[in-house]
PDB file of all heavy atoms in Angstrom:
ATOM      1  N   PRO A  42     -12.495  13.652 -10.364  1.00 76.00           N
ATOM      2  CA  PRO A  42     -11.516  14.560 -10.825  1.00 76.00           C
ATOM      3  C   PRO A  42     -10.208  14.226 -10.217  1.00 76.00           C
ATOM      4  O   PRO A  42      -9.084  14.727 -10.680  1.00 76.00           O
ATOM      5  CB  PRO A  42     -12.062  16.010 -10.370  1.00 76.00           C
ATOM      6  CG  PRO A  42     -13.079  15.630  -9.226  1.00 76.00           C
ATOM      7  CD  PRO A  42     -13.656  14.353  -9.639  1.00 76.00           C
ATOM      8  N   LYS A  43     -10.113  13.560  -9.155  1.00 73.00           N
ATOM      9  CA  LYS A  43      -8.752  13.163  -8.501  1.00 73.00           C
ATOM     10  C   LYS A  43      -8.047  12.054  -9.210  1.00 73.00           C
ATOM     11  O   LYS A  43      -6.893  11.864  -8.991  1.00 73.00           O
ATOM     12  CB  LYS A  43      -8.968  12.951  -6.971  1.00 73.00           C
ATOM     13  CG  LYS A  43      -9.058  14.175  -6.095  1.00 73.00           C
ATOM     14  CD  LYS A  43      -8.906  13.763  -4.598  1.00 73.00           C
ATOM     15  CE  LYS A  43      -7.450  13.312  -4.378  1.00 73.00           C
ATOM     16  NZ  LYS A  43      -7.250  13.060  -2.935  1.00 73.00           N
ATOM     17  N   THR A  44      -8.872  11.336 -10.063  1.00 79.00           N
ATOM     18  CA  THR A  44      -8.311  10.114 -10.589  1.00 79.00           C
ATOM     19  C   THR A  44      -7.325  10.395 -11.719  1.00 79.00           C
ATOM     20  O   THR A  44      -7.425  11.550 -12.280  1.00 79.00           O
ATOM     21  CB  THR A  44      -9.416   9.272 -11.241  1.00 79.00           C
ATOM     22  OG1 THR A  44      -8.794   7.941 -11.613  1.00 79.00           O
ATOM     23  CG2 THR A  44      -9.948   9.846 -12.474  1.00 79.00           C
ATOM     24  N   THR A  45      -6.253   9.705 -11.755  1.00 82.00           N
ATOM     25  CA  THR A  45      -5.288   9.806 -12.845  1.00 82.00           C
ATOM     26  C   THR A  45      -5.241   8.570 -13.814  1.00 82.00           C
ATOM     27  O   THR A  45      -4.298   8.446 -14.462  1.00 82.00           O
ATOM     28  CB  THR A  45      -3.850  10.057 -12.273  1.00 82.00           C
ATOM     29  OG1 THR A  45      -3.540   8.922 -11.318  1.00 82.00           O
ATOM     30  CG2 THR A  45      -3.803  11.314 -11.410  1.00 82.00           C
ATOM     31  N   ALA A  46      -6.347   7.709 -13.635  1.00 86.00           N
ATOM     32  CA  ALA A  46      -6.349   6.511 -14.420  1.00 86.00           C
ATOM     33  C   ALA A  46      -7.810   6.071 -14.543  1.00 86.00           C
ATOM     34  O   ALA A  46      -8.664   6.324 -13.704  1.00 86.00           O
ATOM     35  CB  ALA A  46      -5.458   5.465 -13.838  1.00 86.00           C
ATOM     36  N   VAL A  47      -8.128   5.405 -15.691  1.00 85.00           N
ATOM     37  CA  VAL A  47      -9.316   4.815 -15.942  1.00 85.00           C
ATOM     38  C   VAL A  47      -9.038   3.389 -16.469  1.00 85.00           C
ATOM     39  O   VAL A  47      -8.293   3.175 -17.386  1.00 85.00           O
ATOM     40  CB  VAL A  47     -10.175   5.599 -16.924  1.00 85.00           C
ATOM     41  CG1 VAL A  47     -11.502   4.755 -17.260  1.00 85.00           C
ATOM     42  CG2 VAL A  47     -10.596   6.941 -16.323  1.00 85.00           C
ATOM     43  N   LEU A  48      -9.781   2.424 -15.919  1.00 84.00           N
ATOM     44  CA  LEU A  48      -9.623   1.031 -16.348  1.00 84.00           C
ATOM     45  C   LEU A  48     -10.690   0.677 -17.305  1.00 84.00           C
ATOM     46  O   LEU A  48     -11.859   0.836 -16.954  1.00 84.00           O
ATOM     47  CB  LEU A  48      -9.741   0.019 -15.130  1.00 84.00           C
ATOM     48  CG  LEU A  48      -9.344  -1.407 -15.374  1.00 84.00           C
ATOM     49  CD1 LEU A  48      -7.930  -1.646 -15.824  1.00 84.00           C
ATOM     50  CD2 LEU A  48      -9.616  -2.161 -14.053  1.00 84.00           C
ATOM     51  N   VAL A  49     -10.271   0.072 -18.461  1.00 84.00           N
ATOM     52  CA  VAL A  49     -11.210  -0.237 -19.528  1.00 84.00           C
ATOM     53  C   VAL A  49     -11.279  -1.769 -19.368  1.00 84.00           C
ATOM     54  O   VAL A  49     -10.368  -2.507 -19.536  1.00 84.00           O
ATOM     55  CB  VAL A  49     -10.762   0.138 -20.904  1.00 84.00           C
ATOM     56  CG1 VAL A  49     -11.803  -0.285 -21.924  1.00 84.00           C
ATOM     57  CG2 VAL A  49     -10.574   1.677 -20.940  1.00 84.00           C
ATOM     58  N   ARG A  50     -12.474  -2.265 -19.182  1.00 82.00           N
ATOM     59  CA  ARG A  50     -12.728  -3.674 -18.934  1.00 82.00           C
ATOM     60  C   ARG A  50     -12.259  -4.547 -20.172  1.00 82.00           C
ATOM     61  O   ARG A  50     -12.562  -4.187 -21.297  1.00 82.00           O
ATOM     62  CB  ARG A  50     -14.265  -3.994 -18.672  1.00 82.00           C
ATOM     63  CG  ARG A  50     -14.579  -5.250 -18.066  1.00 82.00           C
ATOM     64  CD  ARG A  50     -16.013  -5.587 -17.830  1.00 82.00           C
ATOM     65  NE  ARG A  50     -16.647  -4.480 -17.060  1.00 82.00           N
ATOM     66  CZ  ARG A  50     -16.678  -4.445 -15.714  1.00 82.00           C
ATOM     67  NH1 ARG A  50     -16.038  -5.466 -15.087  1.00 82.00           N
ATOM     68  NH2 ARG A  50     -17.208  -3.516 -15.072  1.00 82.00           N
ATOM     69  N   ASN A  51     -11.553  -5.571 -19.855  1.00 78.00           N
ATOM     70  CA  ASN A  51     -11.008  -6.473 -20.928  1.00 78.00           C
ATOM     71  C   ASN A  51     -10.133  -5.714 -21.963  1.00 78.00           C
ATOM     72  O   ASN A  51      -9.989  -6.215 -23.030  1.00 78.00           O
ATOM     73  CB  ASN A  51     -12.096  -7.162 -21.620  1.00 78.00           C
ATOM     74  CG  ASN A  51     -12.947  -8.042 -20.750  1.00 78.00           C
ATOM     75  OD1 ASN A  51     -12.437  -8.739 -19.785  1.00 78.00           O
ATOM     76  ND2 ASN A  51     -14.349  -7.869 -20.911  1.00 78.00           N
ATOM     77  N   HIS A  52      -9.539  -4.725 -21.540  1.00 77.00           N
ATOM     78  CA  HIS A  52      -8.637  -4.038 -22.454  1.00 77.00           C
ATOM     79  C   HIS A  52      -7.379  -3.555 -21.771  1.00 77.00           C
ATOM     80  O   HIS A  52      -6.289  -3.993 -22.004  1.00 77.00           O
ATOM     81  CB  HIS A  52      -9.400  -2.849 -23.070  1.00 77.00           C
ATOM     82  CG  HIS A  52      -8.496  -1.965 -23.978  1.00 77.00           C
ATOM     83  ND1 HIS A  52      -7.986  -2.533 -25.172  1.00 77.00           N
ATOM     84  CD2 HIS A  52      -8.149  -0.599 -23.948  1.00 77.00           C
ATOM     85  CE1 HIS A  52      -7.276  -1.491 -25.769  1.00 77.00           C
ATOM     86  NE2 HIS A  52      -7.458  -0.501 -25.146  1.00 77.00           N
ATOM     87  N   GLY A  53      -7.411  -2.558 -20.841  1.00 80.00           N
ATOM     88  CA  GLY A  53      -6.223  -2.091 -20.216  1.00 80.00           C
ATOM     89  C   GLY A  53      -6.519  -0.888 -19.386  1.00 80.00           C
ATOM     90  O   GLY A  53      -7.664  -0.520 -19.105  1.00 80.00           O
ATOM     91  N   ILE A  54      -5.521  -0.117 -19.016  1.00 81.00           N
ATOM     92  CA  ILE A  54      -5.660   1.084 -18.136  1.00 81.00           C
ATOM     93  C   ILE A  54      -5.143   2.272 -18.845  1.00 81.00           C
ATOM     94  O   ILE A  54      -4.028   2.235 -19.423  1.00 81.00           O
ATOM     95  CB  ILE A  54      -5.056   0.861 -16.827  1.00 81.00           C
ATOM     96  CG1 ILE A  54      -5.409   2.069 -15.835  1.00 81.00           C
ATOM     97  CG2 ILE A  54      -3.525   0.545 -16.904  1.00 81.00           C
ATOM     98  CD1 ILE A  54      -5.028   1.745 -14.433  1.00 81.00           C
ATOM     99  N   TYR A  55      -5.829   3.396 -18.820  1.00 81.00           N
ATOM    100  CA  TYR A  55      -5.360   4.736 -19.416  1.00 81.00           C
ATOM    101  C   TYR A  55      -4.855   5.486 -18.203  1.00 81.00           C
ATOM    102  O   TYR A  55      -5.632   5.800 -17.229  1.00 81.00           O
ATOM    103  CB  TYR A  55      -6.513   5.360 -20.019  1.00 81.00           C
ATOM    104  CG  TYR A  55      -6.778   4.823 -21.472  1.00 81.00           C
ATOM    105  CD1 TYR A  55      -7.583   3.703 -21.556  1.00 81.00           C
ATOM    106  CD2 TYR A  55      -6.327   5.459 -22.600  1.00 81.00           C
ATOM    107  CE1 TYR A  55      -7.916   3.132 -22.849  1.00 81.00           C
ATOM    108  CE2 TYR A  55      -6.589   4.951 -23.825  1.00 81.00           C
ATOM    109  CZ  TYR A  55      -7.392   3.741 -23.986  1.00 81.00           C
ATOM    110  OH  TYR A  55      -7.585   3.196 -25.230  1.00 81.00           O
ATOM    111  N   ILE A  56      -3.630   5.911 -18.254  1.00 81.00           N
ATOM    112  CA  ILE A  56      -2.947   6.681 -17.235  1.00 81.00           C
ATOM    113  C   ILE A  56      -2.389   8.034 -17.806  1.00 81.00           C
ATOM    114  O   ILE A  56      -1.846   7.952 -18.858  1.00 81.00           O
ATOM    115  CB  ILE A  56      -1.807   5.813 -16.500  1.00 81.00           C
ATOM    116  CG1 ILE A  56      -2.403   4.521 -15.991  1.00 81.00           C
ATOM    117  CG2 ILE A  56      -1.112   6.548 -15.459  1.00 81.00           C
ATOM    118  CD1 ILE A  56      -1.373   3.542 -15.555  1.00 81.00           C
ATOM    119  N   TRP A  57      -2.481   9.025 -17.018  1.00 76.00           N
ATOM    120  CA  TRP A  57      -1.838  10.285 -17.447  1.00 76.00           C
ATOM    121  C   TRP A  57      -1.156  11.003 -16.208  1.00 76.00           C
ATOM    122  O   TRP A  57      -1.542  10.651 -15.105  1.00 76.00           O
ATOM    123  CB  TRP A  57      -2.976  11.241 -18.079  1.00 76.00           C
ATOM    124  CG  TRP A  57      -4.112  11.505 -17.182  1.00 76.00           C
ATOM    125  CD1 TRP A  57      -4.182  12.547 -16.337  1.00 76.00           C
ATOM    126  CD2 TRP A  57      -5.295  10.641 -17.002  1.00 76.00           C
ATOM    127  NE1 TRP A  57      -5.436  12.461 -15.683  1.00 76.00           N
ATOM    128  CE2 TRP A  57      -6.216  11.343 -16.086  1.00 76.00           C
ATOM    129  CE3 TRP A  57      -5.712   9.545 -17.652  1.00 76.00           C
ATOM    130  CZ2 TRP A  57      -7.322  10.782 -15.700  1.00 76.00           C
ATOM    131  CZ3 TRP A  57      -6.907   9.022 -17.265  1.00 76.00           C
ATOM    132  CH2 TRP A  57      -7.681   9.637 -16.304  1.00 76.00           C
ATOM    133  N   GLY A  58      -0.237  11.877 -16.551  1.00 70.00           N
ATOM    134  CA  GLY A  58       0.424  12.584 -15.609  1.00 70.00           C
ATOM    135  C   GLY A  58       0.918  13.891 -16.110  1.00 70.00           C
ATOM    136  O   GLY A  58       0.698  14.242 -17.283  1.00 70.00           O
ATOM    137  N   ASP A  59       1.743  14.582 -15.240  1.00 64.00           N
ATOM    138  CA  ASP A  59       2.260  15.916 -15.735  1.00 64.00           C
ATOM    139  C   ASP A  59       3.344  15.755 -16.815  1.00 64.00           C
ATOM    140  O   ASP A  59       3.658  16.688 -17.546  1.00 64.00           O
ATOM    141  CB  ASP A  59       2.921  16.653 -14.426  1.00 64.00           C
ATOM    142  CG  ASP A  59       1.824  17.004 -13.394  1.00 64.00           C
ATOM    143  OD1 ASP A  59       0.694  17.101 -13.832  1.00 64.00           O
ATOM    144  OD2 ASP A  59       2.332  17.130 -12.261  1.00 64.00           O
ATOM    145  N   SER A  60       4.035  14.635 -16.868  1.00 64.00           N
ATOM    146  CA  SER A  60       5.008  14.271 -17.761  1.00 64.00           C
ATOM    147  C   SER A  60       5.101  12.781 -18.095  1.00 64.00           C
ATOM    148  O   SER A  60       4.333  11.989 -17.433  1.00 64.00           O
ATOM    149  CB  SER A  60       6.346  14.672 -17.291  1.00 64.00           C
ATOM    150  OG  SER A  60       6.694  13.913 -16.221  1.00 64.00           O
ATOM    151  N   TRP A  61       5.778  12.452 -19.196  1.00 65.00           N
ATOM    152  CA  TRP A  61       5.830  10.958 -19.549  1.00 65.00           C
ATOM    153  C   TRP A  61       6.501  10.230 -18.371  1.00 65.00           C
ATOM    154  O   TRP A  61       6.000   9.133 -18.030  1.00 65.00           O
ATOM    155  CB  TRP A  61       6.750  10.836 -20.841  1.00 65.00           C
ATOM    156  CG  TRP A  61       6.877   9.369 -21.149  1.00 65.00           C
ATOM    157  CD1 TRP A  61       6.011   8.670 -21.957  1.00 65.00           C
ATOM    158  CD2 TRP A  61       8.030   8.559 -20.730  1.00 65.00           C
ATOM    159  NE1 TRP A  61       6.610   7.404 -22.010  1.00 65.00           N
ATOM    160  CE2 TRP A  61       7.736   7.287 -21.360  1.00 65.00           C
ATOM    161  CE3 TRP A  61       9.121   8.732 -20.077  1.00 65.00           C
ATOM    162  CZ2 TRP A  61       8.598   6.253 -21.226  1.00 65.00           C
ATOM    163  CZ3 TRP A  61       9.999   7.633 -19.848  1.00 65.00           C
ATOM    164  CH2 TRP A  61       9.699   6.391 -20.491  1.00 65.00           C
ATOM    165  N   ILE A  62       7.476  10.881 -17.755  1.00 66.00           N
ATOM    166  CA  ILE A  62       8.144  10.080 -16.593  1.00 66.00           C
ATOM    167  C   ILE A  62       7.101   9.914 -15.491  1.00 66.00           C
ATOM    168  O   ILE A  62       7.080   8.897 -14.892  1.00 66.00           O
ATOM    169  CB  ILE A  62       9.359  10.884 -16.163  1.00 66.00           C
ATOM    170  CG1 ILE A  62      10.466  10.866 -17.223  1.00 66.00           C
ATOM    171  CG2 ILE A  62       9.893  10.391 -14.814  1.00 66.00           C
ATOM    172  CD1 ILE A  62      11.051   9.525 -17.480  1.00 66.00           C
ATOM    173  N   HIS A  63       6.352  10.978 -15.262  1.00 67.00           N
ATOM    174  CA  HIS A  63       5.325  10.879 -14.131  1.00 67.00           C
ATOM    175  C   HIS A  63       4.284   9.889 -14.409  1.00 67.00           C
ATOM    176  O   HIS A  63       3.938   9.061 -13.569  1.00 67.00           O
ATOM    177  CB  HIS A  63       4.698  12.254 -13.843  1.00 67.00           C
ATOM    178  CG  HIS A  63       3.896  12.335 -12.631  1.00 67.00           C
ATOM    179  ND1 HIS A  63       3.111  13.514 -12.370  1.00 67.00           N
ATOM    180  CD2 HIS A  63       3.718  11.403 -11.573  1.00 67.00           C
ATOM    181  CE1 HIS A  63       2.573  13.188 -11.150  1.00 67.00           C
ATOM    182  NE2 HIS A  63       2.893  12.061 -10.737  1.00 67.00           N
ATOM    183  N   ALA A  64       3.840   9.808 -15.657  1.00 71.00           N
ATOM    184  CA  ALA A  64       2.906   8.799 -16.031  1.00 71.00           C
ATOM    185  C   ALA A  64       3.431   7.378 -15.949  1.00 71.00           C
ATOM    186  O   ALA A  64       2.752   6.481 -15.531  1.00 71.00           O
ATOM    187  CB  ALA A  64       2.397   8.977 -17.541  1.00 71.00           C
ATOM    188  N   LYS A  65       4.653   7.252 -16.254  1.00 73.00           N
ATOM    189  CA  LYS A  65       5.367   5.916 -16.205  1.00 73.00           C
ATOM    190  C   LYS A  65       5.475   5.504 -14.701  1.00 73.00           C
ATOM    191  O   LYS A  65       5.257   4.321 -14.382  1.00 73.00           O
ATOM    192  CB  LYS A  65       6.719   6.009 -16.821  1.00 73.00           C
ATOM    193  CG  LYS A  65       7.503   4.652 -16.855  1.00 73.00           C
ATOM    194  CD  LYS A  65       8.797   4.817 -17.594  1.00 73.00           C
ATOM    195  CE  LYS A  65       9.506   3.480 -17.616  1.00 73.00           C
ATOM    196  NZ  LYS A  65       9.985   2.958 -16.371  1.00 73.00           N
ATOM    197  N   THR A  66       5.862   6.435 -13.834  1.00 75.00           N
ATOM    198  CA  THR A  66       5.979   6.150 -12.482  1.00 75.00           C
ATOM    199  C   THR A  66       4.620   5.652 -11.908  1.00 75.00           C
ATOM    200  O   THR A  66       4.459   4.678 -11.054  1.00 75.00           O
ATOM    201  CB  THR A  66       6.460   7.397 -11.656  1.00 75.00           C
ATOM    202  OG1 THR A  66       7.772   7.737 -12.206  1.00 75.00           O
ATOM    203  CG2 THR A  66       6.504   7.039 -10.187  1.00 75.00           C
ATOM    204  N   GLN A  67       3.565   6.461 -12.275  1.00 77.00           N
ATOM    205  CA  GLN A  67       2.190   6.076 -11.813  1.00 77.00           C
ATOM    206  C   GLN A  67       1.795   4.697 -12.357  1.00 77.00           C
ATOM    207  O   GLN A  67       1.115   3.886 -11.632  1.00 77.00           O
ATOM    208  CB  GLN A  67       1.156   7.122 -12.297  1.00 77.00           C
ATOM    209  CG  GLN A  67       1.406   8.441 -11.547  1.00 77.00           C
ATOM    210  CD  GLN A  67       0.240   9.434 -11.720  1.00 77.00           C
ATOM    211  OE1 GLN A  67      -0.488   9.714 -10.814  1.00 77.00           O
ATOM    212  NE2 GLN A  67      -0.054   9.771 -12.926  1.00 77.00           N
ATOM    213  N   ALA A  68       2.056   4.434 -13.606  1.00 82.00           N
ATOM    214  CA  ALA A  68       1.796   3.140 -14.211  1.00 82.00           C
ATOM    215  C   ALA A  68       2.413   1.964 -13.317  1.00 82.00           C
ATOM    216  O   ALA A  68       1.690   0.910 -13.084  1.00 82.00           O
ATOM    217  CB  ALA A  68       2.335   3.014 -15.573  1.00 82.00           C
ATOM    218  N   GLU A  69       3.590   2.107 -12.874  1.00 82.00           N
ATOM    219  CA  GLU A  69       4.259   1.152 -12.082  1.00 82.00           C
ATOM    220  C   GLU A  69       3.528   0.941 -10.697  1.00 82.00           C
ATOM    221  O   GLU A  69       3.384  -0.245 -10.254  1.00 82.00           O
ATOM    222  CB  GLU A  69       5.702   1.483 -11.806  1.00 82.00           C
ATOM    223  CG  GLU A  69       6.536   1.447 -13.058  1.00 82.00           C
ATOM    224  CD  GLU A  69       7.921   2.011 -12.855  1.00 82.00           C
ATOM    225  OE1 GLU A  69       8.181   2.593 -11.859  1.00 82.00           O
ATOM    226  OE2 GLU A  69       8.805   1.930 -13.814  1.00 82.00           O
TER     227      GLU A  69
END
Side-chain angles (χ1 to χ4, degrees):
K43 281 192 67 176
T44 188
T45 58
V47 174
L48 185 65
V49 181
R50 196 183 303 277
N51 299 320
H52 178 61
I54 185 168
Y55 284 79
I56 300 170
W57 55 94
D59 296 333
S60 65
W61 178 84
I62 293 295
H63 192 187
K65 182 176 183 293
T66 299
Q67 292 192 116
E69 294 171 349

